[in-house]
Amino acid sequence: MTRILAIAALALGLAAPAGAQDALGDKLAESRLRGCLLAGASGTGQTQLEAAVIQTRAYCGAQIGRVQALRIAAATRGLSGNDAQAAKTRAIRDLNTEIAQAVANFTGLTP
């Protein structure tokens, strides 16, 4: 029985290329973050955009961390030194901007 399960697991592993699974995982992480931002922003009850962003970021910390790690890995692939650090900084800044814009859109609040 164990042997049959091992063969089935191996077959499933070979059925889809690893890159396809990674791409699916990346899309899923992005989708989960978007859903969390929607849920978090909808329930903040804040009247100031900055407070809503802070509260939503706290609510979605795990998803933000996962997406941030994926984006940093993609941005710094093949880079080293100052170039890698600059790419990392840009990726984090871009994600933070996207999060603030999403919260603003979901809450209707403006800066």
Side-chain angles (χ1 to χ4, degrees), residues 26-44 55-57 59-64 66-67 71 95 98-99 102-103 106-107:
D26 294 357
K27 288 181 183 179
L28 184 58
E30 293 275 351
S31 177
R32 285 183 175 170
L33 174 57
R34 183 123 178 114
C36 186
L37 293 175
L38 174 59
S42 299
T44 65
Q55 189 172 344
T56 303
R57 287 184 63 87
Y59 180 75
C60 299
Q63 289 82 5
I64 292 170
R66 193 170 298 119
V67 169
R71 291 200 186 178
L95 178 59
E98 288 176 36
I99 290 168
V103 172
F106 295 145
T107 61

Side-chain angles (χ1 to χ4, degrees), residues 1 3 10-11 15 18 41 43 46-47 51 54 58 60 63 67 73 78 85-86 89-90 92 105-106 111:
M1 181 68 164
R3 188 174 189 177
L10 180 61
Q46 298 292 334
T47 58
I54 291 169
C60 299
Q63 289 82 5
V67 169
Q85 185 59 42
T89 302
R90 269 192 312 277
I92 293 170
N105 289 339
F106 295 145

Side-chain angles (χ1 to χ4, degrees), residues 1 6 8 12 14 18 20 49 52-53 55 61-62 65 67 72 76 78 83 85 93 99 104:
M1 181 68 164
L12 287 174
L14 296 175
L49 178 59
V53 170
Q55 189 172 344
V67 169
I72 289 170
T76 59
D83 291 338
Q85 185 59 42
R93 188 179 323 117
I99 290 168

Side-chain angles (χ1 to χ4, degrees), residues 69-82:
L70 291 170
R71 291 200 186 178
I72 289 170
T76 59
R77 191 169 292 122
L79 300 176
S80 62
N82 290 339

